[in-house]
Amino acid sequence: MKAFSGDTKGVYFTAFGGGLYWASSALLLSSWKPDSSFGNPSSFSSGLVIVATVALICIVFACSRIFLQSRFQKALAVAGILSTLAYTALALSGGSSTAYLAGLVISNACHHACLILFWGLNYAALSKSDAEKTVFLSLFFAFVVYLCLCSLPVGRYALLMVGMFKGIGVLPFLAGRYALPVAERVLIPQNARLLFPFYASRVFLGFAMGPLFFLGGVLHPSLPEPSVGLCLLGLVVLAVALICEVKSFVSKNSLLRMAPFLIVGFLVLPYFFGTDQPAALATAFVAIAWLSWIVLSSTQLSDIKERVGLNEAFLSFSEKAVVYFSLLLGFVVSFLVYNSFGEETRSTLIDFAPLASVYLVVLVSGFLLSNVIEKKERQRIVDKAMQLSNDHLELVFERIGDEYRLTERELEVLPYIAKGYTRAHVSTALVISNGTAKTHIAHIYDKLDIHSREELYELVEAQKRQFIDERQGPN
C-alpha cells in the first residue's frame, strides 16, 4: 500500500478530490442552492434529512473497522456517488407523493453521509507531516473553483454539476491511483484524556451550526447576484498568496491558521456589495460554518490518531457522528425556540441569530486550528532536537570506539547498552546468541574500565558534553 508521507501523488490526488468536494458542497449550500421545492426545503424536510444523515453515519460508525479495508472504502465512495446521482435524478424529475419525498430524503442523506465519511477518512489517513500541506492545497483549490463557478447561472442543473464534480473527485481513488494507509492502533491510556476536549469542541460546533441549518429552511434565502469583478479580485488575491507561499514570504501554516477567517472572506466576497441585510447572507453562513469545521477536522485528525492510538476509521466516523448529532440537537432547539416567540421576536432572531452562530463557529474553529498548528510546530522542533541529539550520540559512540579501540561488533553493541536495552534485546537485534552478547558487553566494560550501566551512562554523557563544546567552539 502506498503511504502518503513522501508520496506526492497521493497528497495531490487527495487535495484535488477533497478541494472539489469542499467547493461543490459550499456551492450547493450557498449560491447553487437548488430552486426546486425540495432542494430549497422547509425546516421540517431539512430536519428529516439531518435525522436520516445522523442515522446513516451512526450505522457506518458501528462497523467502522471494516473500512480499514480498501474494498469497503471504495464501496463507501461508490455509494456516495450513486446516491448523489439518485438524488439529482429525483430532484430534477419532480413529484409530490410520499414515496417520492421519502426517496429524496434518503438519497440526499445517503450522499451527504457517505461522502463526508469517505473524505474524512482520506484526511485522517494523512501523516502529520502531510496534513497541513494537503489541507492548504485543498482549501486553495476549493476557493479557486468556488470563485470561478459561483456566478454561473446553472439554475436547476446545479445538482447535476455538483454530482459531476463529486464524482470526478473520487475517480483517482476508485481507479487505484493512490491508497489510504490506514492501520489498527493500540489505545494509549495516558493520552486518552485528549479525547474529551476534542469531542467537546465537536459538540459545540455541531450545536452552533444547528440554528444556521434551521433558519436556512425557514427563510428560503436567496443570495444577491454575485459580482464577477469581485470574483476576479478574489482569484488575484489567491494567486498572490500562492506566490508568497512558494517564495517563502509567508508559510502555508501562517495562512492555514487564518483559514476560517479566509473562508468568511472568500465565500462572502462575491456578494459583498449586494446587500446590507445579514439575513440575506444566511445561506452563505451555512457554507462558511460547515467548511470551517471541515478544515479544522482535516487538519487535526492525523495528529489525534497518533497521539491517542485510534485507527482512522473509528476516529473520523465518531467525530462526524458527534458533530451531526449535536447539529440535530441544535436544529431541534432552534425549532422550539423559534416557534415559542411571536412575529416581532422572530424577526429579530432572523436578523441576528445567523450572524451570532457563524461568528461562534468561525471564532472557535480559528482558535482550535491555530492551537493545533502551534502544537504541531512545537512537536516538530522537539523531533528535530531529538534527531540532532541522536546524531550527536552516533558520533559520540564512534569517538568512544576509536579512543578505546572497540571492535566493529563491540561498536554495534555499545549504542544498545548505552540506551538501556537488555542483553536479550541486544542478542535479538543483532541476531547473535545470548552468550555472544554477554561476551561483547564484558569486553566493552573491560576496555572502558567501567563496572556498571551507571558508569557507562556517565561516560557517554561526559563524552557528549565534550563533543558539543568542541562543535560550538569558544564563546
Side-chain angles (χ1 to χ4, degrees), residues 20 53 65 69 90 97 110 119 123 146 175 207 250 255 263 283 330-331 334 336 345 347 355 361 408 418 426 473:
L20 269 181
T53 302
R65 178 172 290 187
Q69 302 175 43
L90 287 171
S97 67
C110 188
W119 285 112
Y123 285 96
Y146 180 86
F207 192 85
V250 61
L255 294 171
I263 290 169
T283 302
F331 188 98
S334 300
L336 295 175
T345 306
S347 178
L355 196 59
V361 172
E408 184 177 344
V426 173

Side-chain angles (χ1 to χ4, degrees), residues 99-145:
Y100 170 78
L101 295 178
L104 278 173
V105 168
I106 294 172
S107 58
N108 192 8
C110 188
H111 110 263
H112 280 305
C114 291
L115 289 179
I116 201 168
L117 291 175
F118 171 74
W119 285 112
L121 186 59
N122 267 258
Y123 285 96
L126 294 167
S127 67
K128 288 197 293 185
S129 60
D130 287 333
E132 288 122 341
K133 175 183 178 181
T134 309
V135 173
F136 171 79
L137 291 173
S138 298
L139 192 58
F140 180 86
F141 184 58
F143 284 153
V144 171
V145 173

Side-chain angles (χ1 to χ4, degrees), residues 38-61:
F38 189 87
N40 197 7
S42 65
S43 59
F44 178 73
S45 56
S46 295
L48 288 179
V49 172
I50 295 172
V51 168
T53 302
V54 171
L56 288 168
I57 289 175
C58 290
I59 290 170
V60 175
F61 168 60

Side-chain angles (χ1 to χ4, degrees), residues 175-231:
R177 301 303 299 274
Y178 72 99
L180 305 184
V182 295
E184 278 285 7
R185 289 180 174 81
V186 178
L187 181 68
I188 304 172
Q190 61 269 30
N191 289 343
R193 57 185 175 79
L194 298 174
L195 292 175
F196 177 77
F198 172 74
Y199 286 117
S201 67
R202 277 20 184 209
V203 170
F204 177 85
L205 291 173
F207 192 85
M209 286 191 285
L212 293 171
F213 280 81
F214 170 74
L215 290 172
V218 169
L219 299 175
H220 305 288
S222 296
L223 285 169
E225 191 69 24
S227 167
V228 176
L230 289 176
C231 289

Side-chain angles (χ1 to χ4, degrees), residues 228-272:
V228 176
L230 289 176
C231 289
L232 292 175
L233 175 62
L235 292 172
V236 171
V237 172
L238 286 173
V240 172
L242 183 61
I243 292 171
C244 289
E245 197 279 327
V246 170
K247 296 293 185 180
S248 299
F249 297 140
V250 61
S251 70
K252 62 179 177 293
N253 284 352
S254 297
L255 294 171
L256 203 54
R257 287 174 188 269
M258 303 184 295
F261 307 101
L262 294 175
I263 290 169
V264 173
F266 284 109
L267 266 60
V268 172
L269 180 63
Y271 318 101
F272 190 75

Side-chain angles (χ1 to χ4, degrees), residues 246-327:
V246 170
K247 296 293 185 180
S248 299
F249 297 140
V250 61
S251 70
K252 62 179 177 293
N253 284 352
S254 297
L255 294 171
L256 203 54
R257 287 174 188 269
M258 303 184 295
F261 307 101
L262 294 175
I263 290 169
V264 173
F266 284 109
L267 266 60
V268 172
L269 180 63
Y271 318 101
F272 190 75
F273 296 116
T275 181
D276 57 357
Q277 298 296 322
L281 297 175
T283 302
F285 290 166
V286 175
I288 289 168
W290 181 86
L291 190 53
S292 296
W293 158 56
I294 288 296
V295 169
L296 169 65
S297 171
S298 302
T299 307
Q300 191 175 18
L301 289 179
S302 61
D303 180 57
I304 290 289
K305 71 176 182 185
E306 295 184 13
R307 295 175 67 188
V308 179
L310 293 175
N311 70 64
E312 292 84 353
F314 180 92
L315 181 62
S316 176
F317 294 178
S318 63
E319 184 219 20
K320 304 303 183 290
V322 169
V323 169
Y324 271 84
F325 184 77
S326 302
L327 192 156

